[in-house]
Structures are given as structure tokens and as C-alpha cells.
Amino acid sequence: MLHPILAQKRLFYGFMAGWITLFMGHTLFLSYQYLPFAEALVDAFIYNGVFMILSVALYFPLAYPEDCTSSAFNKKSFLYHAFHHITTGMVTLAIWLGASFFLASQLLSQNTEYLNFARSSLPMRAAFGGILIVLLISMYHFTSFYKHIEEKNTREEQLKKMLKEAELKALKAQLNPHFLFNSLNSISSLTISDPEAAREMLTLLSDFLRYALKRKEETLLPLREEIKNIQRYLEIERVRFGDRLNCEFNMHPDCLNVHVPAMLLQPLYENAIKHGLYESIDPVSIKTNCRSGNHILEISVSNTFDPESTPVKGEGVGLENIRSKLLLFYNRTDLLSIHRENNNFEVKIIIPKSRTK
């Protein structure tokens, strides 16, 4: 964690200017009211120097919640942070008073008048030091909060830019054109052999396209809507592949209420069918598992495939689109993992719940 004062020249220069001003005021105040100028200079140098070093180190033990308005930042979290800050401030104050008094006493050990003043002024110094520590903690929180706001705005601007640049490619990214063409051909064939099935398939296809076109501009939506549309997609594909396509969904009802990025999972099922059914004549099983953990939602989509078949050529953008979307929404690169074992291919996606609504 990089220190904000050391990372930014303007903050560093302002920080040093503040301490120099405080040092000069300290010296003039003591020399005018209590001590000779030389002793006041030594006292101000020691107490301000030690405090300046501690004020820089004070930044690191403090905890800075990224979003104080989120559900994760509850009353318990507030009490924890308040206790942590008070304890850290008191320890810092005790170290400052103890170290400064020791150093000043060693340098001016022969001056009885100064030692008496140093002891009698401890309550006044403690009060002044406490005020400074509160101001420092407030400053550090302000800079941390401002930094998080800047990062959040940057991510949102990137997301808006990505949506604008992808507007003309939205259908290509969300809908496999081969799927659309094949579905229309299947409907055409069924209009003669099974008109009822053709009407049902046409209804599923229209609902699927309506969902894809409507949701492409939205950000987050309940997982139940995403799964419902994926089931439409699989029903359409099942008309073509029949019993070769087997699907299984294992989900706890609580998982379905969690919000996920729109059209996030669609490429996983397109890949499962492309690499499973296109490359083999054997049946393919697609399994979807979802579990809700502590602050996360874990979604797993796995499919069987023939490891000896010739891979189908493709653009390979499906998983990369998912990775990019997860990075922009959650600012993390560890939310998608791939596991390949024997004839089973599995993709796991982690959705942080703190950003789901």
C-alpha cells in the first residue's frame, strides 16, 4: 500500500510546509512564554520531528473501508473501525510523548528548569497531540476516500467507453450467428413436418432475441433472468441435437436473487455446445452448479467433450469477453478459472455479492 503523501509531490510539499510552520510556531510560543530560545528550539525540533515521523507511519495501521455506504459496512464494522482508530491514536500519542520526553531529557538533562517544565506540560502536549492525530486520521481518510472515488469513476468511464465501442458488435458478441441461421433452418423444416413444434421454437427464439436486445444496455440483473434465457437457448439447440444434448441445473433458490452482469454466462453455453457437440457424435452433458458462500456467489458450468477430436476453429473471444466484463464490474482478475480434466471442461465464475445490487 503506497503512502499518499510520499506518492504525490503536491501532498508531500504541503505536508512538509505544514510541519515547518508548526515547528516555527512551537519555537516562538515556548521562547515567548516559557523557555529561553535555544531550549525552545531544541524542544520544538524533538517533539515536532518525532511527531512528523509517527504521522507518516500512522497511515499504515489504519483500516480504510472502500465503501462506507455498502451493506457490508454495518454497525459492527463501524464499531470495529472506531475502536481500531481510537486505539491506534492513543498508542501513537503515548509513543510520541514517551520518545520525545526521553530524547529531550537526555539532551537537556542538566537543565532542571526545563525538566520541570517538560513534566508539567505533558497534559497540554497530550491534548494538542490528540487534536493533531484526529486531524491526521481525518486527512488520511479523506485522501483514501478520494482515491477510491477516482478509481470508481475511472472504471465507470471505461465501462461506458466499452459499451459505446461495442454497440455495433453487440449482436455478434452476444449472439452466435450460426446459432441464428441454424435455428431458422430448423424452424423452416419443422413448419412442414411439425407445425406446432415450429411455432414453439419460433416463440422461444423470439423471446431469446428480445431478451438479448433488451438487456444489452443494462448492467446487472437477477441470476434467475439470466438462467431463464439460457434455458430458452438450450431448448432451441435441443431441437437440433435432440437427445445428444443433456442439461442439468443445480441451484439453491437464494442464488437466483443475486445480481450478475447481463449476458455474462451466455458464451459459456455457446462454447460448451460448439466444442462438445460440433466436435463429436457422442451425447454431451452440460451441468450448471451454483452455490452461495460468504460474500460470494460461485457459478460453475461444465461440459463433456471428446479430447481426441479436432478442435473447432473460433475467434476465442467468449472467455475473454467474460474476463473483461468481470474486471470492469468488480476490478478483479481472479474471478474466472478454467479446469480441464480427461473429457470434462469446467469454467468457474466468482461473483462478489457486495457489488451485486
Side-chain angles (χ1 to χ4, degrees):
M1 182 169 54
L2 191 61
H3 199 292
I5 292 177
L6 301 180
Q8 302 180 47
K9 288 185 177 180
R10 292 176 61 182
L11 281 178
F12 176 76
Y13 292 147
F15 181 78
M16 293 303 299
W19 278 110
I20 292 174
T21 302
L22 194 62
F23 166 76
M24 295 173 62
H26 187 159
T27 304
L28 294 175
F29 175 76
L30 290 185
S31 62
Y32 181 78
Q33 292 285 343
Y34 300 103
L35 301 172
F37 181 80
E39 296 173 4
L41 187 66
V42 172
D43 183 278
F45 180 82
I46 293 175
Y47 277 84
N48 285 279
V50 173
F51 207 134
M52 183 181 68
I53 295 172
L54 290 175
S55 67
V56 174
L58 179 63
Y59 174 79
F60 296 101
L62 296 176
Y64 304 95
E66 294 189 8
D67 187 2
C68 295
T69 63
S70 67
S71 59
F73 192 78
N74 50 29
K75 182 178 180 181
K76 184 177 180 181
S77 298
F78 172 79
L79 293 176
Y80 166 78
H81 283 92
F83 175 79
H84 179 76
H85 284 39
I86 292 173
T87 304
T88 303
M90 292 179 65
V91 170
T92 303
L93 183 63
I95 293 175
W96 171 60
L97 291 174
S100 300
F101 181 83
F102 174 79
L103 292 174
S105 299
Q106 292 297 311
L107 288 176
L108 302 172
S109 58
Q110 305 300 323
N111 192 325
T112 305
E113 181 180 355
Y114 172 79
L115 295 177
N116 292 332
F117 167 76
R119 294 188 185 96
S120 63
S121 63
L122 282 177
M124 179 182 65
R125 296 181 194 269
F128 184 75
I131 295 173
L132 282 181
I133 288 175
V134 170
L135 292 176
L136 284 168
I137 292 176
S138 301
M139 181 193 72
Y140 284 145
H141 271 283
F142 177 80
T143 56
S144 179
F145 177 77
Y146 182 75
K147 177 183 176 183
H148 291 316
I149 291 295
E150 281 190 323
E151 291 176 350
K152 181 180 179 181
N153 290 337
T154 300
R155 290 197 300 269
E156 289 178 351
E157 288 298 321
Q158 289 177 341
L159 180 60
K160 291 178 181 178
K161 183 178 179 181
M162 184 190 74
L163 290 174
K164 289 180 180 179
E165 292 176 349
E167 187 171 284
L168 295 177
K169 300 179 181 179
L171 280 176
K172 184 177 180 181
Q174 295 177 359
L175 301 175
N176 188 331
H178 296 293
F179 157 73
L180 183 59
F181 299 149
N182 292 331
S183 298
L184 292 174
N185 287 333
S186 298
I187 293 172
S188 178
S189 300
L190 287 172
T191 53
I192 300 175
S193 61
D194 192 347
E196 186 64 29
R199 282 194 294 270
E200 182 181 353
M201 187 174 180
L202 186 60
T203 300
L204 289 171
L205 181 60
S206 64
D207 289 342
F208 176 82
L209 294 175
R210 187 180 299 110
Y211 176 93
L213 293 173
K214 179 181 178 182
R215 301 296 184 180
K216 70 177 183 177
E217 297 299 334
E218 295 187 13
T219 54
L220 298 172
L221 70 159
L223 179 62
R224 67 171 70 253
E225 295 187 26
E226 182 83 346
I227 295 299
K228 185 177 181 180
N229 197 60
I230 286 170
Q231 290 173 337
R232 293 191 193 106
Y233 167 78
L234 294 174
E235 285 296 325
I236 295 170
E237 292 287 34
R238 190 176 282 110
V239 174
R240 295 177 52 219
F241 296 105
D243 295 336
R244 291 180 57 207
L245 177 58
N246 301 306
C247 303
E248 180 181 342
F249 289 85
N250 298 313
M251 296 189 171
H252 191 278
D254 292 343
C255 298
L256 299 176
N257 296 322
V258 179
H259 286 58
V260 300
M263 299 297 289
L264 176 71
L265 304 178
Q266 180 66 28
L268 298 181
Y269 295 88
E270 293 181 0
N271 286 345
I273 291 176
K274 180 175 71 173
H275 297 289
L277 291 170
Y278 289 4
E279 300 176 7
S280 173
I281 60 174
D282 297 327
V284 169
S285 177
I286 302 177
K287 295 182 179 181
T288 304
N289 296 291
C290 183
R291 70 177 186 87
S292 180
N294 187 22
H295 303 303
I296 66 166
L297 178 75
E298 182 179 292
I299 304 172
S300 168
V301 179
S302 63
N303 65 276
T304 56
F305 70 100
D306 185 359
E308 298 181 358
S309 62
T310 302
V312 175
K313 293 183 179 180
E315 297 181 7
V317 297
L319 293 178
E320 287 305 316
N321 283 344
I322 295 176
R323 284 195 181 95
S324 299
K325 189 172 288 189
L326 290 171
L327 178 62
L328 285 170
F329 272 91
Y330 306 107
N331 194 32
R332 288 176 57 179
T333 59
D334 60 340
L335 299 179
L336 185 144
S337 60
I338 299 173
H339 307 276
R340 189 194 304 265
E341 184 176 356
N342 298 327
N343 68 331
N344 190 72
F345 184 85
E346 181 182 25
V347 177
K348 288 185 178 181
I349 295 178
I350 303 296
I351 303 295
K353 288 185 180 179
S354 59
R355 177 63 173 85
T356 57
K357 295 184 180 181

